[in-house]
């Protein structure tokens, strides 16, 4: 049970997962309640030492709250919420909070209600959520299916003279039309020299002959994300970009060979970095090899050369080496990966051979 795993890891009398107003909503709230909709602003999920769950929510979200896990307590006025919280936390002396997502005002609110000492248990929660259960993996598989189908359609989408914004919009609409529940993150569409910026935001730049066209996007299905990057070319590119593409492809394969349960996450990054830094593109791989993926587009574990994480069966991560040449362009190839005892299972599906349109 998800709540029991968090309780066992946190070792506190209670752990409070709190939602403020937008955008201060904690995905862990939906992780433990397993509710499918609702914004739940001002709601709380309280996990007790025995793994039991109580949910405090407003009247607006009552119906959805009762469809999920936990004992549901409904309030109409803030005073009622405080009374409910005081009753539930009575006797709790050590309370865990998700320090990376709660506001300062909320932590002060809890201190005023109880005499308990607060502890940041965000690391303990992240250790639990990093390993996905079967239900989570199934939703991520579907998110990956949706984004993979869109990736395979990119050669048909691209037209000379279209803007990055137009291409991004077409990718987004295709994912939604194919059953996606929204974007995992803002789609990156980068043409020509703009592809040398890893987090480029789509602009009015138009696609020309010989340009790199780099797309980084993901669908959300249910509450879960996919993430992939495909780099294609409109017409034959400069030879340096052809060599860069082949180098990135080899780097991804080298890194993925290190991805299996029990392996050190940094070994995947180091293997990929060795390929790139052993080529003419030394120093052009300027980010980590990958990151965890789940309800958030970026979460644990870290797959960088500095990571101390160890891969576990059920983790979902990305494999995304890149080479970036300012003024020329960039290459990135990315897949979403399931860590198994036998190695890396690729959940995204598209041809990695160089595509010239």
């Amino acid at each position: 049970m998800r709540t029991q795993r968090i309780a066992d890891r946190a070792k506190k009398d209670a752990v409070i997962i709190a939602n403020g107003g937008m955008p201060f909503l904690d995905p862990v709230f939906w992780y433990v309640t397993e509710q499918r909709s609702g914004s739940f602003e001002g709601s709380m999920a309280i996990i007790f030492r025995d793994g039991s769950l109580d949910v405090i929510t407003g009247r607006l979200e009552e119906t959805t709250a009762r469809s999920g896990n936990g004992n549901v307590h409904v309030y109409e006025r803030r005073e009622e919420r405080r009374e409910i919280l005081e009753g539930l936390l009575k006797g709790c002396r050590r309370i865990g909070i998700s320090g990376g997502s709660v506001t300062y005002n909320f932590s002060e609110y809890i201190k005023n209600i109880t005499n308990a000492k607060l502890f940041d248990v965000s690391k303990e929660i992240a250790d639990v959520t990093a390993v996905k259960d079967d239900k989570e993996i199934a939703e991520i598989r579907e998110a990956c299916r949706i984004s993979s189908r869109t990736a395979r359609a990119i050669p048909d989408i691209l037209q000379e003279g279209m803007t990055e914004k137009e291409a991004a919009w077409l990718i987004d609409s295709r994912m939604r039309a194919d059953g996606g529940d929204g974007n995992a993150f803002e789609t990156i569409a980068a043409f020509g020299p703009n592809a040398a910026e890893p987090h480029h935001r789509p602009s009015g730049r138009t696609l020309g002959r010989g340009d790199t066209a780099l797309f980084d996007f993901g669908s959300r299905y249910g509450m879960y994300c996919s993430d992939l990057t495909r780099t294609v070319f409109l017409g034959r590119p400069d030879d340096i970009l052809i060599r860069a593409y082949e180098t990135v492809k080899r780097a991804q394969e080298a890194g993925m060979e290190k991805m299996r349960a029990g392996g050190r996450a940094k070994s995947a990054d180091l293997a990929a970095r060795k390929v790139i830094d052993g080529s003419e593109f030394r120093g052009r791989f300027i980010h980590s090899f990958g990151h965890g993926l789940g309800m958030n587009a970026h979460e644990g574990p870290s797959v960088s050369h500095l990571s101390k994480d160890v891969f576990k069966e059920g983790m979902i991560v990305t494999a995304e080496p890149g080479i970036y040449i300012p003024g020329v362009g960039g290459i990135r190839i990315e897949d979403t990966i399931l860590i198994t005892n036998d190695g890396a299972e690729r959940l995204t599906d598209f041809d990695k051979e160089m595509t010239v349109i």
Side-chain angles (χ1 to χ4, degrees):
M1 189 167 64
R2 295 175 182 181
T3 53
Q4 189 64 66
R5 292 199 297 271
I6 290 175
D8 291 346
R9 187 75 176 173
K11 295 181 172 61
K12 300 295 180 287
D13 296 325
V15 174
I16 303 176
I17 308 301
N19 284 334
M22 283 285 224
F24 300 105
L25 302 177
D26 191 339
V28 181
F29 179 88
W30 287 270
Y31 174 78
V32 296
T33 63
E34 297 188 56
Q35 295 156 356
R36 302 288 298 184
S37 64
S39 63
F40 285 92
E41 293 182 335
S43 297
M44 285 172 256
I46 305 172
I47 304 164
F48 292 97
R49 189 181 287 273
D50 64 358
S52 61
L53 174 69
D54 282 77
V55 178
I56 303 174
T57 189
R59 187 71 65 189
L60 182 68
E61 311 286 3
E62 179 181 3
T63 299
T64 303
R66 295 195 185 282
S67 71
N69 298 330
N71 303 309
V72 177
H73 308 265
V74 180
Y75 69 89
E76 292 187 356
R77 294 175 291 105
R78 289 183 178 273
E79 293 80 5
E80 289 179 286
R81 184 178 68 173
R82 181 184 178 101
E83 290 171 3
I84 295 168
L85 194 55
E86 284 178 336
L88 291 173
L89 297 179
K90 187 176 181 180
C92 293
R93 294 291 175 260
R94 294 162 57 84
I95 295 176
I97 59 173
S98 185
S101 59
V102 302
T103 63
Y104 172 80
N105 286 344
F106 177 78
S107 63
E108 290 298 301
Y109 176 70
I110 296 299
K111 289 178 182 177
N112 289 333
I113 289 176
T114 72
N115 293 319
K117 185 174 181 180
L118 301 188
F119 297 83
D120 179 10
V121 294
S122 52
K123 175 62 168 63
E124 289 81 357
I125 293 173
D127 288 342
V128 172
T129 60
V131 179
K132 274 56 182 179
D133 60 32
D134 290 344
K135 289 176 65 176
E136 293 178 285
I137 292 171
E139 293 206 356
I140 294 172
R141 284 186 186 277
E142 183 61 16
C144 289
R145 184 195 69 81
I146 292 166
S147 55
S148 296
R149 283 172 59 91
T150 297
R152 292 194 290 272
I154 285 175
D156 297 325
I157 290 173
L158 289 185
Q159 295 182 9
E160 185 175 1
M162 76 186 315
T163 67
E164 294 170 342
K165 288 183 177 181
E166 289 170 331
W169 180 83
L170 288 170
I171 285 173
D172 294 347
S173 61
R174 273 190 177 255
M175 288 192 292
R176 183 61 71 93
D178 197 28
D181 292 318
N183 283 23
F185 49 89
E186 184 179 8
T187 293
I188 295 172
F191 298 160
N194 289 346
E197 183 182 349
H199 286 164
H200 175 72
R201 191 170 194 179
S203 70
R205 194 213 193 265
T206 58
L207 182 64
R209 304 301 297 179
D211 273 351
T212 302
L214 185 153
F215 301 96
D216 187 342
F217 58 95
S219 176
R220 186 177 292 276
Y221 183 79
M223 291 289 178
Y224 289 87
C225 302
S226 61
D227 193 357
L228 69 85
T229 303
R230 183 181 177 104
T231 306
V232 301
F233 306 95
L234 184 68
R236 181 180 173 85
D238 291 342
D239 287 346
I240 192 172
L241 290 170
I242 296 174
R243 297 195 301 272
Y245 190 96
E246 293 302 319
T247 302
V248 170
K249 187 172 72 169
R250 287 190 291 109
Q252 192 202 40
E253 292 166 353
M256 286 179 58
E257 287 179 1
K258 301 293 184 180
M259 303 177 92
R260 67 180 62 249
R264 300 171 73 185
K266 74 175 184 180
S267 65
D269 182 288
L270 291 171
R273 204 168 296 278
K274 182 178 180 180
V275 171
I276 294 174
D277 284 348
S279 73
E280 65 185 290
F281 303 106
R282 180 179 180 83
R284 297 298 185 185
F285 181 16
I286 57 176
H287 53 72
S288 65
F289 183 73
H291 55 81
L293 188 71
M295 286 187 167
N296 295 303
H298 289 81
E299 57 183 48
S302 166
V303 191
S304 79
H305 67 287
L306 299 174
S307 177
K308 296 180 181 180
D309 294 326
V310 174
F311 288 130
K312 297 178 181 178
E313 185 179 22
M315 285 181 168
I316 306 277
V317 298
T318 64
E320 51 177 307
I323 290 173
Y324 307 94
I325 309 169
V328 178
I331 307 294
R332 184 163 66 253
I333 300 172
E334 176 185 22
D335 284 301
T336 297
I337 304 297
L338 170 64
I339 301 297
T340 74
N341 288 324
D342 297 324
E345 180 185 346
R346 193 190 310 270
L347 301 184
T348 42
D349 174 29
F350 61 86
D351 188 358
K352 292 195 298 180
E353 294 303 312
M354 192 176 79
T355 300
V356 178
I357 301 167

